């Protein structure tokens, strides 16, 4: 029998927002409400506009939602199931399986609104997390237990890069991998599930999706649900967890939609006034403790390639490595289209990486920077007007630019080139040989889409064919 003291009735509906009037005590913010209907719909309390009304986000609206419908206060926040039975499964915000297989039974549930780990319990790893991607490992190395962002506009290769990292890292990674799709297309979700299955790593992977066609409330909360599951594996089972998120901008966008629906006055560029707080609530839960590490790689869409956009600038501040994708590089066919001069990692400092790594990375960055400064002179006067020293710099820089391209496993079917995973030691050796002018007589096309410089013969063949 339902306790009538915890029953309210829908007094107003506007889009995916509902006002519920309670005659007795109001539920607290973030409380889960359910409609007394078949099927039941879930509403999360977002604000309390007056003493009798709770305003909530309808998370799975249907045409059945109507005025006067009774709503029960559960007294509990939204929760998701946690446990090892989730490995190999694809879930939604509520923890329901969406992969067509029978749901796991009798699993404990936890609130998705976890608290960040206190500073006293956090642990800094200070160790490089190799990806097998030359441009990243050399110039923007990831930190084990850190947060890395892949920044770029539409169509420059963020999702392809995330997919390649999954291919390279999940197979070698000894912990649990959790993929969170925020505002993902259902096509991408299905392809990722199939790729994981073919790679034989599905049994160590969990996928959580709030898809593009779902309400802003679902897209706004699915990241919290995914981190709750990740925290369980880190804290309770003492496992290392790799969290991949695509796309953080969709989380910010969903928060902006929710803010508008709740009637809040927008802030700069139309974003919600609570942008910084909401992003911090999500990002600060990603950290390592004495029980296990949690490493995160996040794709971040940059609207109109404007890196001063509030969504991008707020995300930058939470990351230990920022990998910037350039539309200009993509237009030149240099994939992955990573801009080596704009990308940054706090790991690339003496002491954090080996002396050799720091020296080679600095020499590569200086060479590319000097070439960038010479581009205007080359455009106006031509390469022939440069001094012999400057022409040598241009030659090395162009060879390095093309050497930092790489054939990916995730694009083999489209390019016909077998993917290459390159260890950091091989990348350093190859760069040292290029900087040492060992290949001064080789055409720059020979360095395009190869693994190490030992593959230069194959690169020349591809250049001639092109």
């Amino acid at each position: 029998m339902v306790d009538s003291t915890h029953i309210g009735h829908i007094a107003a509906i506007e889009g995916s927002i509902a006002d519920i009037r309670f005659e007795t005590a109001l539920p607290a913010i973030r409380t889960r409400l359910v409609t007394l209907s078949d099927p039941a719909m879930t509403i999360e309390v977002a604000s309390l506009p007056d003493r009798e009304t709770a305003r909530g986000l309808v998370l799975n609206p249907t045409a059945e939602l109507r005025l006067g419908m009774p709503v029960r206060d559960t007294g509990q926040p939204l929760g998701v199931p946690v446990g090892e039975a989730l490995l190999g499964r694809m879930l939604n915000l509520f923890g329901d399986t969406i992969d067509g297989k029978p749901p796991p039974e009798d699993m404990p549930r936890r609130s998705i609104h976890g608290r960040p780990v206190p500073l006293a319990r956090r642990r800094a790893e200070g160790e490089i997390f190799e990806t097998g991607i030359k441009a990243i490992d050399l110039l923007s190395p990831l930190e084990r237990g850190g947060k890395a962002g892949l920044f770029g506009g539409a169509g420059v290769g963020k999702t392809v890069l995330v997919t390649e990292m999954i291919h390279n890292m999940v197979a070698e990674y000894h912990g649990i991998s959790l993929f969170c799709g925020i505002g993902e297309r259902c096509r991408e979700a299905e392809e990722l599930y199939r790729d994981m299955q073919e790679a034989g790593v599905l049994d160590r992977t969990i996928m959580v999706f709030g898809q593009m066609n779902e309400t802003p409330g679902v897209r706004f909360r699915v990241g919290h649900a995914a981190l709750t599951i990740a925290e369980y594996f880190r804290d309770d089972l003492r496992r290392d967890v790799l969290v991949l998120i695509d796309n953080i901008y969709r989380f910010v966008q969903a928060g902006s939609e929710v803010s508008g629906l709740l009637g809040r006055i927008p802030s700069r560029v139309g974003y919600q006034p609570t942008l910084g707080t909401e992003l911090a609530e999500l990002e600060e839960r990603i950290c390592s403790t004495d029980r296990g590490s949690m490493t995160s790689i996040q794709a971040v869409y940059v609207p109109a390639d404007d890196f001063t956009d509030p969504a991008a600038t707020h995300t930058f501040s939470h990351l230990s490595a920022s990998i910037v994708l350039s539309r200009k590089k993509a237009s030149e066919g240099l994939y992955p289209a990573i801009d080596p001069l704009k990308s940054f990692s706090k790991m690339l400092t003496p002491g954090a990486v080996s002396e050799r790594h720091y020296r080679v990375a600095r020499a590569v960055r200086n060479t590319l920077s000097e070439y960038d400064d010479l581009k205007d002179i080359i455009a106006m006067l031509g390469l022939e007007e440069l001094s012999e020293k400057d022409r040598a710099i241009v030659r090395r820089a162009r060879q390095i630019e093309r050497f930092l391209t790489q054939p990916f496993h995730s694009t083999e079917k489209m390019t016909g080139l077998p993917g290459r995973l390159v260890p950091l030691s091989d990348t350093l050796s190859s760069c040292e040989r290029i900087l040492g002018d060992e290949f001064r007589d080789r055409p720059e096309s020979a360095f395009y889409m190869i693994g190490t410089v030992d593959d230069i013969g194959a690169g020349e063949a591809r250049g001639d064919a092109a």
Side-chain angles (χ1 to χ4, degrees):
M1 185 175 178
V2 178
D3 185 353
S4 61
T5 59
H6 294 94
I7 298 296
H9 293 83
I10 295 178
I13 303 170
E14 186 173 353
S16 56
I17 295 289
D19 284 357
I20 302 100
R21 193 172 297 278
F22 288 85
E23 295 182 1
T24 54
L26 285 174
I29 288 178
R30 293 184 172 176
T31 299
R32 176 174 172 262
L33 312 177
V34 292
T35 59
L36 300 180
S37 60
D38 187 21
M41 287 165 275
T42 301
I43 301 173
E44 185 186 47
V45 178
S47 65
L48 304 172
D50 58 51
R51 294 184 178 182
E52 297 181 341
T53 308
R55 181 165 292 162
L57 302 170
V58 186
L59 299 178
N60 47 357
T62 70
E64 301 296 320
L65 195 68
R66 62 183 184 276
L67 295 176
M69 178 179 281
V71 177
R72 179 172 63 87
D73 173 13
T74 66
Q76 301 291 328
L78 280 170
V80 289
V82 292
E84 292 193 86
L86 297 181
L87 291 170
R89 306 306 301 270
M90 187 187 288
L91 314 169
N92 63 11
L93 166 65
F94 308 104
D96 302 328
T97 55
I98 54 174
D99 52 13
K101 299 177 184 177
E105 298 178 359
D106 302 325
M107 297 190 69
R109 298 184 75 89
R110 284 193 180 172
S111 166
I112 67 170
H113 301 291
R115 292 179 179 274
V117 175
L119 286 175
R121 283 188 50 217
R122 297 191 180 209
R123 185 186 69 192
E125 295 277 335
E127 181 185 337
I128 287 184
F129 198 55
E130 282 195 40
T131 65
I133 298 170
K134 294 180 288 189
I136 294 176
D137 291 342
L138 175 67
L139 297 171
S140 303
L142 308 190
E143 178 187 18
R144 186 178 292 275
K147 294 183 278 253
L150 307 176
F151 291 83
V156 294
K158 295 184 300 300
T159 300
V160 171
L161 203 50
V162 169
T163 308
E164 184 68 8
M165 286 185 176
I166 290 170
H167 182 281
N168 290 0
M169 298 161 76
V170 170
E172 301 296 325
Y173 191 65
H174 298 296
I176 301 299
S177 302
L178 189 146
F179 182 89
C180 176
I182 304 176
E184 278 287 275
R185 301 166 184 85
C186 59
R187 168 185 60 79
E188 293 173 342
E190 191 273 334
E191 285 175 359
L192 180 65
Y193 183 84
R194 196 156 18 94
D195 290 344
M196 293 287 211
Q197 206 166 27
E198 290 173 2
V201 296
L202 192 61
D203 60 337
R204 290 186 283 114
T205 306
I206 303 168
M207 283 171 272
V208 186
F209 288 97
Q211 295 177 44
M212 191 174 275
N213 64 322
E214 298 190 76
T215 65
V218 169
R219 288 179 273 124
F220 188 53
R221 289 300 185 210
V222 71
H224 296 277
L227 288 183
T228 300
I229 298 170
E231 287 166 344
Y232 170 81
F233 281 95
R234 180 194 65 192
D235 297 336
D236 291 52
L237 301 186
R238 296 176 178 265
R239 304 285 293 274
D240 292 340
V241 185
L242 173 63
V243 179
L244 301 121
I245 303 175
D246 190 6
N247 188 298
I248 283 291
Y249 176 76
R250 303 295 176 202
F251 167 76
V252 173
Q253 190 179 47
S256 180
E257 292 178 49
V258 166
S259 181
L261 289 167
L262 294 173
R264 296 177 186 146
I265 298 171
S267 183
R268 183 180 160 212
V269 200
Y271 287 105
Q272 63 271 39
T274 51
L275 167 60
T277 306
E278 291 168 357
L279 191 59
E281 283 180 351
L282 186 75
E283 294 281 5
E284 288 304 304
R285 292 173 65 179
I286 303 172
C287 66
S288 296
T289 71
D290 52 0
R291 293 172 175 264
S293 71
M294 188 186 293
T295 307
S296 176
I297 298 169
Q298 310 167 11
V300 187
Y301 168 68
V302 181
D305 294 334
D306 179 13
F307 285 87
T308 64
D309 187 271
T313 55
H314 277 83
T315 308
F316 269 121
S317 61
H318 292 280
L319 305 174
S320 56
S322 302
I323 298 158
V324 176
L325 300 178
S326 159
R327 190 169 301 282
K328 187 172 183 297
K329 296 276 184 191
S331 67
E332 293 171 0
L334 301 175
Y335 288 103
I338 295 170
D339 189 324
L341 300 179
K342 291 182 180 176
S343 301
F344 162 81
S345 170
K346 74 171 192 178
M347 291 293 290
L348 197 58
T349 54
V353 297
S354 68
E355 187 275 332
R356 180 193 182 203
H357 184 175
Y358 179 71
R359 174 173 46 79
V360 173
R362 189 171 178 179
V364 166
R365 198 182 289 272
N366 287 344
T367 302
L368 294 173
S369 179
E370 289 176 26
Y371 172 49
D372 199 53
D373 292 338
L374 291 169
K375 281 181 178 177
D376 287 341
I377 298 173
I378 296 169
M380 288 186 292
L381 303 177
L383 190 62
E384 296 75 16
E385 297 301 316
L386 296 180
S387 66
E388 189 62 38
K389 179 185 175 184
D390 285 345
R391 272 185 279 181
I393 289 170
V394 170
R395 183 188 66 248
R396 289 185 212 115
R398 286 181 173 172
Q399 288 178 346
I400 288 170
E401 270 189 338
R402 280 145 187 81
F403 171 70
L404 292 178
T405 62
Q406 189 167 343
F408 281 175
H409 296 88
S410 53
T411 58
E412 279 182 9
K413 293 177 183 175
M414 291 170 274
T415 63
L417 301 176
R420 294 296 304 272
L421 186 153
V422 184
L424 175 60
S425 57
D426 291 349
T427 301
L428 295 176
S429 298
S430 296
C431 288
E432 283 174 331
R433 293 171 68 183
I434 293 171
L435 293 168
D437 281 343
E438 184 177 329
F439 305 99
R440 64 167 65 88
D441 299 325
R442 298 279 187 162
E444 59 196 44
S445 59
F447 297 82
Y448 182 68
M449 287 294 172
I450 61 173
T452 67
V453 288
D454 294 329
D455 303 330
I456 275 183
E460 285 179 324
R462 277 198 295 277
D464 294 340

